[in-house]
Amino acid sequence: MDKIEQAKQKKQVKKRNRFIFRSAILVVLFGALLFAVVSNLTAEEEAAVDIKDQAPDFELNRIANNEDTVESSLQLSDLEGKGVMLNFWATYCEPCEREMPYMEELYPKYKEQGVEIVAVSVDATELVIDKFVDQYNLSFPILHDKNSQVLDAYGIRPLPTTYFIDENGVVVERVLGELSLERLEGYLQQIVPEGT
């Protein structure tokens, strides 16, 4: 076999290996894309708590913020008679970060009208939550779901997920993903208790 023939064979082997490598990458990328699409589609169906359901009660530790000097706990049933916006979030979630200033902006107005905003963080440590609360100067109650027990009880998949609960503890709306200021205010108006 002459050198030209050897070079041709080497080139063909390299070409075949490149094709196999590229095909493998494409298969992996397609698999990841398919998984993401299926996860998002089934997230809607797998929610444990849906519209018209009674919101399951829970109690979690509260992270101290501007209005409190010490940590305490908060139980959802303590808010009976009020509308409740229940937001599941984490500091590493960029859409969660973007909607927090909207929640803070609307909180004083709707608190006066009998609506409480409660944000449940699923971060692993309180330290990162503390930094986040300080950074955004958040004044509404922040709870820490350290072991994801409430997250699992509500069947939350994507973050953020937000429940809007009326004064009787019934879920009025469940929103998957980020809220704009306008959408958030529209949902808050739906849970203002009657007679306020």
Side-chain angles (χ1 to χ4, degrees):
M1 188 181 299
D2 62 6
K3 286 187 176 180
I4 294 174
E5 194 64 32
Q6 283 179 344
K8 275 185 181 176
Q9 281 187 346
K10 235 180 182 178
K11 193 174 179 182
Q12 283 179 339
V13 168
K14 278 185 178 180
K15 199 174 181 180
R16 189 184 70 218
N17 287 344
R18 238 189 340 253
F19 175 76
I20 291 170
F21 180 71
R22 287 178 180 164
S23 298
I25 288 176
L26 281 175
V27 167
V28 169
L29 289 175
F30 180 74
L33 179 67
L34 188 65
F35 176 77
V37 169
V38 170
S39 294
N40 279 335
L41 290 176
T42 57
E44 185 77 23
E45 296 166 4
E46 292 175 0
V49 181
D50 209 345
I51 295 170
K52 296 184 182 175
D53 288 347
Q54 193 74 29
D57 195 18
F58 62 85
E59 183 172 5
L60 288 172
N61 286 334
R62 185 174 171 169
I63 303 292
N65 59 13
N66 295 334
E67 292 188 350
D68 302 306
T69 53
V70 290
E71 291 180 23
S72 60
S73 65
L74 188 143
Q75 190 163 354
L76 184 63
S77 56
D78 291 343
L79 303 174
E80 195 176 323
K82 293 183 174 184
V84 177
M85 173 189 167
L86 184 62
N87 175 261
F88 290 88
W89 69 287
T91 57
Y92 52 80
C93 159
E94 288 183 21
C96 304
E97 188 173 357
R98 287 194 294 267
E99 68 182 9
M100 282 288 170
Y102 304 145
M103 292 160 61
E104 182 58 34
E105 183 179 332
L106 296 174
Y107 181 54
K109 175 182 172 184
Y110 284 92
K111 188 176 182 181
E112 278 185 17
Q113 296 180 40
V115 174
E116 194 64 60
I117 292 178
V118 178
V120 176
S121 171
V122 296
D123 283 285
T125 66
E126 285 186 22
L127 184 64
V128 292
I129 307 170
D130 281 336
K131 282 185 176 179
F132 189 93
V133 168
D134 288 344
Q135 181 184 350
Y136 288 96
N137 205 22
L138 303 176
S139 59
F140 49 82
I142 308 286
L143 308 182
H144 189 199
D145 189 13
K146 187 177 178 181
N147 300 317
S148 301
Q149 61 194 38
V150 179
L151 186 87
D152 293 342
Y154 276 74
I156 305 296
R157 296 292 295 278
L159 291 176
T161 292
T162 306
Y163 284 86
F164 293 88
I165 303 165
D166 71 11
E167 70 266 31
N168 301 311
V170 176
V171 174
V172 174
E173 290 287 349
R174 179 169 59 95
V175 180
L176 307 180
E178 184 178 351
L179 285 161
S180 65
L181 183 63
E182 293 76 21
R183 286 182 67 208
L184 175 57
E185 182 149 32
Y187 289 125
L188 289 173
Q189 287 169 358
Q190 290 183 43
I191 57 170
V192 171
E194 288 182 24
T196 56

